[in-house]
Amino acid sequence: MSETPPALEVTDLHVSFPSEAGPVRAVRGVSFSVRPGEVLGIVGESGSGKSVSSLAVLGLLPETADIKGSVKLHGRELLELDDRDMTEIRGKDIAMVFQDPLSALTPVYSVGDQIVEALRIHQDLDKAQARKRAVELLDLVGIPDPARRAGAFPHEFSGGMRQRAMIAMAIANDPEVIIADEPTTALDVTIQAQILDVLKKAQEVTGAAIVMITHDLGVVAGFADRVQVMYAGRPVETGTVDDVYYRPRMPYTIGLLGSIPRLDDGGRHALTPIDGNPPSLVDLPAGCPFAARCPIATDLCRRVEPELTVREGGNHPTACHRSHELVAGGSLDPATIYPVPPLPKAPADSVPREDRTPVLEVDGLVKHFPLLYGAVVKRKVGEVRAVDGISFDIREGETLGLVGESGCGKTTTLLEILDLPSGQSGTVTVFGKDIRGLKGAERKALRRDLQVVFQDPMAALDPRMPVGDILGEPLKTHGWSRDRIAARVPELLGQVGLDPDHVDRFPAEFSGGQRQRISIARALALEPKLVVLDEPVSALDVSIQAGVLNLLDELKARMNLSYLFVAHDLSVVRHIADRIAVMYLGRIVELGSAEAVFGAPSHPYTQALLSAVPLPDPRKERERRRILLTGDLPSPADVPTGCRFRNRCPKFASLDESDRGRCREEDPAPTGLAGDHTAACHFAAAVTVV
Amino acid sequence: MGRYLLRRLINHVALVLIAASLTYFLAAISLNPRANFAGRNPPVAASSVTATLNDYNLNPDTPVVVRFAHWANGVAHGDLGRTVTGGEVNDEFARRVGVSTRLLLIATILGSIGGVLVGAWGAIRQYRTSDRVTTLASFFVLAMPVFVIAVTFKLWAIDINDAVGHKVIEYTGEYDPGLTGTGEILLSRLQHLLLPSLTLIVIQVALYSRYQRSTMLDVLGSDFLRTARAKGLSRRAALMKHGLRTAVLPVVPLLVYNVVLLFTGATFTEKIYGWHGMGEWLVNSISTNDVNAVAAVGMFTAFVVLIAGLLSDVLYAALDPRVRVR
Amino acid sequence: MAVQTPSVQPPSQAPAAPGDQPARRRASGRLRLTAVRFSRNRMALFGLVMLVLLFLMAYVSPLFYKWDYTELDFTAFQKPPSGEHWFGTDQTGSDLFALTARGMQKSLVIGILTGLICTFVAAAVGAGAGYFGGWTDRSLMWVVDLLLVMPSFLIIAVLSPLFQGTTWLVFVVLLAAFSWMITGRVVRSMTLTLKDREFVKAAKYMGVPAPVIIFRHILPSMASMLIIDGTIQVGAAIIGETSLSYFGFGVQSPDVSLGTVIATGTPAAPSFPWLFYFPAGCLVLICLSIAFIGDGLRDALDPNSSGAKARAPRTAKSTSTEGRTS
């Protein structure tokens, strides 16, 4: 394979943008090459320059960008070409799949028309031929009923379908290179598995080289042949997936691998966070850009930036002054360079679950919305059964992970609890009080014990208020005196690991992870008993995520808190939750202790969900067999009869006709398995998938 | 959907009726048609004035509620009443709508197209000289009250006519009634049309180009335009086919809204250039204490606002596939 | 008049996401940043200087200028501008500079008062309707619809005899009453968006009462939009006032506004052009400076608004690129 010349070869690419504060050096010396049929994964956190590099390859950066270096397609230099010549190459030799398929498709043309356009730019086809080919392409990427769906507009497609259409467009002209920029980031995990499958197929059909850009080390582990890790605008480590995942030699890669919550490493333990934040690309300090966060940085690291070099003749270049010490048998052990914080033991852990008092009990909760149609003329055309009868409880000192894909009703459940409304049906009992009968003062008292942390830390903090006022607001609302507030605020900042002197700073002066810590501090201000966490780490980069997760764990143990942790990411939940509730289409399909649900998943949906989560482990990924679900999540406005999962259920497909009849007609109730582990499936049976 | 539309229509018709009634009351109370007969030579007898006013339902001494009832009864039967000089408001109304249409037709078409083109072009060439010049020019135009623009054009026209030596550009009225030949009449009409059209076009181009520029700028940074380029479309083709097409969509309803509003909004242009359209009527009917005409104009204005709103909503839904009603 | 509607602001967003590193900025720093951004906009700076000069002309120059606006110079009828009469004189021998300065005083005061009232009403009604929803929303929006349908020009004109004998403040109230609705709608839709923002929800779930949320979180979040819109409203009000006054429906004698000064000068303008060009020029300068200031404020206060957003390359999201002055 190394004999074939590379299809795309990028050498020493530099990109900078002018800005108010000075030039932003977004890309600083990127080199990579991909051969036909090969997949290169480029991994990095936000701002690492990975997307800018790909746009530079296609010549799609704004005119203000300053680009230097070399980009060669089959030996032909692209950076010297003018826009007219690049037009010939774009979409024909190099195709691109973008991250957000909704905004990446023109809203006013049908999907079919947009593929026809792509075909007719580069091929001499008449309209009918192109149309026929477009339908074939849609069929190839797995869009059902392609001839009819070709006439649909992008907004009428689901996210997964749109991404399939984008891939169809990308392979329309049989390209040499496909650049996929975070192609699955906006998608749910089961859809992500489908799209990765389609991409694989697209590669088989076209034989193209694929450059896969992502922030998710799990996604590329099983998909890529080689990986390049980027940090602060330049590659810091490159190699085969096995080399990079099993023998990382750059502290950043090591830290990144250690900070990812993994589904497969057996239960709860503290993650190893990388302290600090990525540097600003405007004026980078001298030396290694990672030095400030690196546990093994030396004076040399702070003075001289290391080059990406291959040592001892291998095929595994690393940009680190100390990488020779990090090899097997070297003086440093990659596994121990990051200190692992101890995970404190919660007082509640020693008390059996049934002896602890319940803090939240939800029984048969229902929330239906009227379905309105039309932007100008709104009318009710149906009913969205967002939450359709769910029951669970949370005991003192316990974390319940409520997981499910978008649209499953988890956010509605959370808002129903927080809004303290009268509810449509079912009861919500908080600290033993049914929220239905509550009057003003009692509600306010209840709010003191029930706090919330939202997903987006920027949106959750009023940007116009200094941190002191933000943290003081709940205290002020609940009648604390000025002096007590002034004493409490620095204390809170200290608790979440921030500098207590920063009370008069504004949210914008903090990084994402720090802002989420402020959000947590605000939630804790009144010393609540139950904290509702709505995707609290999904807006953060992995290396930051780990620190916040550790903090949550620590606070829970110290303050004997209970968490309702809502998330879509099963790996994150694996690390924080004692109990798991899996939601699908307004129902909890499986509920039980984390060990039971992850170790012996018994509902076919849970099994598919777990099997779709990629592991940052190339060997395991290659060996795993995915349970691929067909189709998209049905609309909660159009819930199937009987079991609501049946038309996507792999188990249903394997049943005989009489058993299928049962699934079609009878809505399965949660049935007890071992202990308090329940699954709402007529044919629940445990399977090991991780 | 039918029921919804109906409810909305009823609500809107109610709004128009309320607006028209309020206008009638205000006009009937504060305007005094009797003043029109004062100082006539020869003087008109008070009794005959009262008789005339009673005849036209304009007598300020009749209780306003009684006058309103009479007026409302007429309106319900499609009769808008009599003008202060005794003509039918209906006839005057029809004539003036015709005049306004003849004035606005060419001006709005050219103004709309011009506005969209100038705005889109400015956005594409953002911060280059041409964008700066058009932006500055539109700021200038929008900072000028219409009457300043109209009077300035008129003064320029007078200067040009003086320089040439005869009347090339007309600035009063719709046509020259003394002419006979078809060609001459047509030419005269065009000469008369030039200045008011220019005024309206300049204002519309300035306004619409601001809207178009800002929607186009939004589209310029969009992901789908990048996709179109990544497919292999040239910058120009991508801008025209994907960019402009998408950026025009939100502007069209707005444009239609403003164009429809011009029916009573071209007040200054019509008044200053002596076109006897709806806009001019608005000013003249008040000056002449013509209560029924004022009420008619008020009703028409409310109606026009409504139609403009409905039309732009329907267009918005019809043009954009994202909100298209199936 | 319809074409002069104030431009509608896109809902403002959260301030630009700064780099991932903690930037060192303080409250005063934010103000300074706004000032720096504003002063980098040459048009805005020009507008500010111009407006200050115009204010000085209106309020300070009468203190030392030789002629009072009520004085007549019987030795100079319709004289062109000179050292004696800076803007010339009219047919009665009044000094045009003194008249213009006096007219500007009134026009500026009316514009600013109207802008203030209008912004206040829009903020109160819009935020209330948006936050409380339900019947509050429906009834307030019905009032907005009604006022939009009402022929505002007509009604103010019809009522103009009413404030002839009393005070021009009635006129201000009427002008404001018919110009807050669009802004009110914008405020309402922004409130709807803000209501779902997490920091507002967080306050709600903390138990903070609704009025406190509106004044502590919601209105401050749209302060920049309100400031910008208020500025534009001042310009629109001045245009509205002068237009009405031009036709005699606005400021009534003995009060003098720019509109009445221009109206008096227009008939003689073909022969004595200064009678029109000087006061009209001052009017245009006022509106233009206000428009420039509004535009500069938008860039400075709301760097994420559509214009500034499109300027920054989407790929380098940590910083926005070059300033306006490039």
Side-chain angles (χ1 to χ4, degrees):
Chain A
M1 188 147 140
S2 56
E3 305 301 314
T4 30
L8 180 71
E9 192 170 15
V10 174
T11 321
D12 202 24
L13 184 72
H14 289 258
V15 181
S16 70
F17 300 98
S19 85
E20 282 183 35
V24 180
R25 298 168 64 199
V27 175
R28 308 177 302 124
V30 165
S31 306
F32 61 81
S33 63
V34 264
R35 293 182 192 81
E38 191 185 32
V39 179
L40 171 72
I42 299 185
V43 182
E45 295 178 283
S46 45
S48 62
K50 52 195 195 307
S51 295
V52 177
S53 320
S54 68
L55 289 175
V57 167
L58 275 177
L60 287 179
L61 287 173
E63 284 163 29
T64 51
D66 182 22
I67 307 165
K68 286 194 201 75
S70 154
V71 176
K72 283 186 175 149
L73 179 76
H74 287 304
R76 186 182 177 200
E77 179 60 57
L78 298 186
L79 288 187
E80 288 162 3
L81 297 183
D82 63 13
D83 200 58
R84 183 190 297 266
D85 291 329
M86 273 310 285
T87 301
E88 302 280 305
I89 288 167
R90 283 186 214 122
K92 181 162 179 291
D93 298 319
I94 308 179
M96 185 125 187
V97 178
F98 291 103
Q99 171 175 350
D100 181 354
L102 177 58
S103 59
L105 290 168
T106 307
V108 296
Y109 294 117
S110 74
V111 171
D113 284 350
Q114 297 192 47
I115 299 175
V116 165
E117 186 186 27
L119 285 163
R120 296 188 68 198
I121 294 169
H122 298 290
Q123 297 177 37
D124 190 19
L125 296 173
D126 65 29
K127 266 192 184 147
Q129 286 170 319
R131 188 87 193 166
K132 192 163 155 279
R133 180 84 188 111
V135 171
E136 284 168 19
L137 284 165
L138 285 174
D139 191 38
L140 180 76
V141 296
I143 286 183
D145 196 3
R148 195 175 59 82
R149 300 296 278 170
F153 288 96
H155 70 276
E156 294 167 331
F157 270 27
S158 69
M161 301 262 277
R162 283 193 283 261
Q163 200 55 291
R164 286 171 194 264
M166 276 297 284
I167 294 172
M169 206 185 298
I171 61 174
N173 295 301
D174 205 4
E176 313 278 337
V177 181
I178 299 173
I179 301 177
D181 186 359
E182 304 260 12
T184 60
T185 304
L187 305 173
D188 280 317
V189 63
T190 59
I191 307 297
Q192 166 172 294
Q194 292 174 357
I195 294 299
L196 289 175
D197 203 47
V198 173
L199 265 176
K200 201 95 214 171
K201 196 165 164 194
Q203 191 198 23
E204 282 160 17
V205 173
T206 57
I210 293 188
V211 179
M212 171 92 156
I213 296 165
T214 180
H215 69 282
D216 188 337
L217 278 163
V219 167
V220 279
F223 191 75
D225 301 305
R226 287 189 302 121
V227 175
Q228 172 152 315
V229 181
M230 292 200 41
Y231 188 78
R234 55 187 305 171
V236 292
E237 183 155 9
T238 306
T240 62
V241 277
D242 287 27
D243 272 344
V244 173
Y245 281 78
Y246 298 129
R247 292 174 289 281
R249 286 204 305 251
M250 158 76 197
Y252 175 63
T253 318
I254 297 166
L256 209 54
L257 284 164
S259 60
I260 316 175
R262 296 174 63 143
L263 208 51
D264 59 337
D265 61 356
R268 302 187 45 181
H269 61 82
L271 300 160
T272 50
I274 308 176
D275 289 334
N277 294 290
S280 155
L281 295 171
V282 177
D283 43 1
L284 278 167
C288 175
F290 188 63
R293 304 172 71 189
C294 183
I296 57 167
T298 60
D299 275 350
L300 178 67
C301 300
R302 280 180 269 273
R303 273 185 291 112
V304 183
E305 180 161 13
E307 291 295 317
L308 188 71
T309 45
V310 189
R311 285 181 200 253
E312 78 277 344
N315 194 19
H316 185 175
T318 318
C320 177
H321 291 305
R322 301 190 68 182
S323 61
H324 60 282
E325 297 173 62
L326 286 160
V327 295
S331 53
L332 288 167
D333 179 5
T336 57
I337 58 168
Y338 283 94
V340 180
L343 190 66
K345 197 125 183 76
D349 286 356
S350 50
V351 186
R353 179 163 200 269
E354 48 275 24
D355 295 345
R356 280 178 271 148
T357 43
V359 289
L360 174 71
E361 291 165 283
V362 174
D363 189 23
L365 182 70
V366 171
K367 177 73 181 180
H368 292 179
F369 298 101
L371 177 63
L372 300 173
Y373 186 78
V376 179
V377 180
K378 283 218 169 37
R379 61 209 149 99
K380 191 183 159 182
V381 293
E383 197 171 43
V384 180
R385 293 155 77 179
V387 176
D388 205 15
I390 63 166
S391 309
F392 62 86
D393 67 337
I394 298 176
R395 309 245 166 167
E396 198 183 351
E398 177 176 272
T399 301
L400 175 76
L402 186 63
V403 293
E405 296 178 283
S406 42
C408 72
K410 55 188 193 300
T411 304
T412 312
T413 306
L414 175 145
L415 290 179
E416 275 302 279
I417 294 167
L418 285 170
D419 272 334
L420 304 179
S422 50
Q424 287 167 328
S425 173
T427 55
V428 176
T429 313
V430 189
F431 316 120
K433 290 194 188 91
D434 186 339
I435 59 172
R436 232 186 269 206
L438 293 185
K439 292 277 167 303
E442 278 179 308
R443 287 168 82 95
K444 196 165 172 180
L446 199 65
R447 293 217 180 275
R448 193 169 50 218
D449 291 332
L450 172 65
Q451 293 289 326
V452 60
V453 175
F454 287 108
Q455 171 176 6
D456 181 354
M458 189 66 227
L461 306 174
D462 191 335
R464 281 154 194 82
M465 281 164 90
V467 168
D469 288 355
I470 288 174
L471 294 181
E473 188 171 19
L475 303 169
K476 204 161 130 192
T477 306
H478 289 272
W480 284 44
S481 72
R482 198 178 292 255
D483 296 342
R484 277 179 76 203
I485 294 176
R488 175 78 172 138
V489 168
E491 186 183 281
L492 281 168
L493 281 172
Q495 265 180 355
V496 295
L498 294 173
D499 188 341
D501 292 338
H502 289 176
V503 283
D504 52 358
R505 292 200 177 183
F506 285 86
E509 299 176 56
F510 294 88
S511 70
Q514 289 173 322
R515 280 181 221 144
Q516 196 57 298
R517 284 167 190 264
I518 297 168
S519 255
I520 293 170
R522 177 175 60 185
L524 297 179
L526 292 162
E527 298 185 327
K529 295 186 196 128
L530 173 64
V531 181
V532 176
L533 304 144
D534 184 11
E535 304 263 12
V537 294
S538 62
L540 308 175
D541 274 323
V542 226
S543 67
I544 310 290
Q545 213 178 54
V548 174
L549 283 175
N550 286 348
L551 173 72
L552 285 172
D553 247 347
E554 182 200 321
L555 290 169
K556 184 189 120 180
R558 210 159 32 156
M559 302 173 69
N560 199 24
L561 297 167
S562 306
Y563 290 149
L564 172 58
F565 193 105
V566 174
H568 70 280
D569 188 336
L570 287 140
S571 326
V572 166
V573 174
R574 178 86 180 109
H575 271 267
I576 189 119
D578 304 299
R579 291 173 61 74
I580 308 286
V582 181
M583 274 191 90
Y584 183 80
L585 217 55
R587 283 280 174 81
I588 290 178
V589 294
E590 185 156 1
L591 175 67
S593 70
E595 289 71 31
V597 172
F598 284 108
S602 302
H603 192 284
Y605 177 65
T606 316
Q607 290 158 7
L609 203 57
L610 286 171
S611 109
V613 178
L615 304 173
D617 188 327
R619 231 169 277 149
K620 279 194 188 167
E621 272 295 295
R622 282 192 292 261
E623 284 159 11
R624 273 174 95 192
R625 221 177 45 77
R626 290 239 142 80
I627 305 170
L628 277 187
L629 291 182
T630 51
D632 294 314
L633 189 75
S635 158
D638 185 21
V639 174
T641 59
C643 175
R644 48 193 72 200
F645 184 56
R646 69 174 155 80
N647 45 14
R648 300 176 73 200
C649 181
K651 177 156 254 156
F652 180 73
S654 69
L655 295 174
D656 61 35
E657 200 41 49
S658 66
D659 286 342
R660 285 188 186 186
R662 190 164 169 221
C663 295
R664 252 183 239 118
E665 279 143 32
E666 196 185 324
D667 195 357
T671 38
L673 304 161
D676 54 2
H677 183 187
T678 59
C681 174
H682 297 306
F683 305 97
V687 170
T688 312
V689 282
V690 179
Chain B
M1 174 165 145
R3 220 173 61 203
Y4 175 87
L5 267 183
L6 197 71
R7 211 170 63 206
R8 184 178 154 145
L9 207 67
I10 290 171
N11 182 29
H12 280 182
V13 169
L15 283 175
V16 171
L17 291 181
I18 293 172
S21 308
L22 271 173
T23 314
Y24 183 88
F25 274 112
L26 287 177
I29 292 167
S30 63
L31 297 180
N32 179 16
R34 197 185 290 277
N36 291 14
F37 296 87
R40 284 235 182 136
N41 200 10
V44 188
S47 61
S48 102
V49 169
T50 307
T52 314
L53 288 177
N54 279 338
D55 197 20
Y56 301 164
N57 188 33
L58 288 173
N59 188 354
D61 300 328
T62 316
V64 69
V65 185
V66 176
R67 275 184 283 158
F68 175 75
H70 190 90
W71 174 79
N73 184 40
V75 171
H77 294 89
D79 178 13
L80 295 170
R82 307 280 288 274
T83 67
V84 81
T85 49
E88 291 288 335
V89 172
N90 286 26
D91 297 345
E92 183 76 7
F93 194 102
R95 207 166 54 78
R96 285 182 180 269
V97 168
V99 173
S100 286
T101 312
R102 284 197 291 280
L103 171 66
L104 292 171
L105 197 66
I106 297 174
T108 51
I109 292 171
L110 291 181
S112 307
I113 295 172
V116 167
L117 291 182
V118 169
W121 190 57
I124 293 169
R125 303 188 51 90
Q126 195 189 16
Y127 298 123
R128 309 241 185 105
T129 314
S130 49
D131 174 42
R132 285 170 181 282
V133 169
T134 52
T135 300
L136 204 64
S138 62
F139 261 109
F140 234 106
V141 171
L142 292 178
M144 289 205 232
V146 185
F147 71 90
V148 172
I149 301 178
V151 171
T152 307
F153 278 171
K154 197 166 163 175
L155 294 179
W156 288 353
I158 292 170
D159 287 347
I160 291 172
N161 286 344
D162 285 352
V164 177
H166 63 101
K167 250 187 169 181
V168 194
I169 308 169
E170 297 284 350
Y171 44 79
T172 319
E174 201 185 344
Y175 57 96
D176 194 339
L179 298 171
T180 45
T182 321
E184 280 184 328
I185 291 177
L186 200 69
L187 184 71
S188 163
R189 277 187 180 271
L190 284 179
Q191 279 176 317
H192 282 88
L193 202 56
L194 183 68
L195 274 194
S197 296
L198 200 63
T199 309
L200 292 171
I201 289 171
V202 162
I203 296 163
Q204 291 185 89
V205 168
L207 183 72
Y208 303 154
S209 69
R210 299 310 298 159
Y211 290 129
Q212 185 62 64
R213 184 175 179 274
S214 97
T215 62
M216 190 71 184
L217 280 179
D218 280 345
V219 167
L220 282 185
S222 68
D223 288 354
F224 62 80
L225 208 59
R226 203 174 55 183
T227 309
R229 299 253 285 138
K231 271 196 232 178
L233 282 178
S234 66
R235 182 175 141 85
R236 203 188 142 77
L239 277 177
M240 283 299 143
K241 205 175 160 204
H242 292 263
L244 191 56
R245 169 72 203 269
T246 313
V248 161
L249 282 189
V251 176
V252 168
L254 226 134
L255 221 131
V256 167
Y257 187 79
N258 279 304
V259 164
V260 176
L261 282 194
L262 268 185
F263 261 98
T264 51
T267 309
F268 305 102
T269 315
E270 287 182 3
K271 176 79 184 157
I272 287 165
Y273 295 118
W275 280 58
H276 305 310
M278 286 304 293
E280 190 213 30
W281 207 17
L282 193 151
V283 176
N284 286 2
S285 59
I286 299 170
S287 312
T288 54
N289 294 313
D290 200 343
V291 177
N292 290 335
V294 169
V297 174
M299 188 148 66
F300 181 68
T301 312
F303 179 73
V304 157
V305 172
L306 253 176
I307 292 293
L310 273 177
L311 209 61
S312 71
D313 274 4
V314 168
L315 261 178
Y316 177 60
L319 287 176
D320 195 330
R322 282 166 293 186
V323 291
R324 196 173 286 168
V325 183
R326 276 174 293 186
Chain C
M1 178 122 158
V3 285
Q4 304 278 10
T5 43
S7 69
V8 177
Q9 309 305 319
S12 80
Q13 284 142 7
D20 279 342
Q21 79 292 348
R24 297 207 141 262
R25 278 202 279 121
R26 288 294 134 106
S28 64
R30 201 147 110 185
L31 207 73
R32 206 174 54 232
L33 193 75
T34 307
V36 166
R37 284 214 202 97
F38 184 88
S39 62
R40 221 171 14 201
N41 185 333
R42 268 182 299 181
M43 271 168 37
L45 216 55
F46 166 81
L48 190 66
V49 171
M50 201 66 228
L51 196 66
V52 168
L53 289 178
L54 288 163
F55 257 95
L56 290 178
M57 172 179 163
Y59 286 95
V60 178
S61 72
L63 301 180
F64 61 85
Y65 189 63
K66 192 175 164 193
W67 299 93
D68 186 78
Y69 77 103
T70 49
E71 260 177 287
L72 302 176
D73 182 355
F74 295 110
T75 64
F77 298 116
Q78 299 186 325
K79 284 279 181 285
S82 64
E84 177 76 11
H85 298 285
W86 291 359
F87 285 2
T89 59
D90 69 5
Q91 56 273 29
T92 60
S94 297
D95 182 274
L96 195 62
F97 181 84
L99 268 176
T100 306
R102 178 70 186 177
M104 276 165 65
Q105 287 183 8
K106 189 107 299 150
S107 291
L108 284 167
V109 165
I110 289 178
I112 288 167
L113 274 181
T114 310
L116 281 177
I117 298 176
C118 177
T119 307
F120 180 79
V121 175
V125 172
Y131 194 83
F132 293 108
W135 275 109
T136 324
D137 185 25
R138 254 170 285 168
S139 44
L140 286 174
M141 283 306 109
W142 190 83
V143 172
V144 165
D145 281 342
L146 181 65
L147 283 175
L148 280 174
V149 168
M150 298 279 277
S152 54
F153 187 99
L154 195 79
I155 288 175
I156 301 179
V158 165
L159 290 177
S160 62
L162 280 187
F163 42 89
Q164 195 154 21
T166 53
T167 160
W168 51 271
L169 285 171
V170 182
F171 182 44
V172 170
V173 170
L174 275 173
L175 267 181
F178 284 110
S179 48
W180 60 272
M181 296 86 72
I182 304 268
T183 315
R185 274 193 180 167
V186 176
V187 171
R188 175 180 172 270
S189 74
M190 285 175 74
T191 308
L192 286 177
T193 319
L194 281 166
K195 205 169 105 177
D196 280 337
R197 284 283 295 279
E198 295 178 340
F199 70 85
V200 176
K201 273 203 241 165
K204 186 181 150 200
Y205 292 143
M206 252 172 242
V208 181
V212 179
I213 291 182
I214 289 182
F215 283 101
R216 195 188 285 163
H217 296 289
I218 288 184
L219 287 179
S221 295
M222 49 175 107
S224 42
M225 174 263 168
L226 289 174
I227 293 171
I228 296 158
D229 192 80
T231 315
I232 292 166
Q233 285 291 354
V234 171
I238 292 176
I239 289 180
E241 175 270 315
T242 48
S243 302
L244 278 157
S245 301
Y246 181 82
F247 289 113
F249 300 138
V251 169
Q252 305 290 330
S253 65
D255 285 327
V256 175
S257 99
L258 268 183
T260 61
V261 174
I262 297 171
T264 330
T266 307
S271 322
F272 311 103
W274 61 87
L275 290 178
F276 173 76
Y277 284 127
F278 276 110
C282 287
L283 171 60
V284 172
L285 277 182
I286 292 175
C287 297
L288 197 62
S289 336
I290 291 174
F292 283 167
I293 292 170
D295 192 55
L297 279 176
R298 167 162 37 236
D299 276 6
L301 285 171
D302 203 1
N304 262 19
S305 69
S306 58
K309 207 167 57 196
R311 204 180 310 145
R314 299 169 68 80
T315 40
K317 63 178 168 198
S318 54
T319 40
S320 62
T321 45
E322 66 210 297
R324 247 199 106 104
T325 43
S326 65

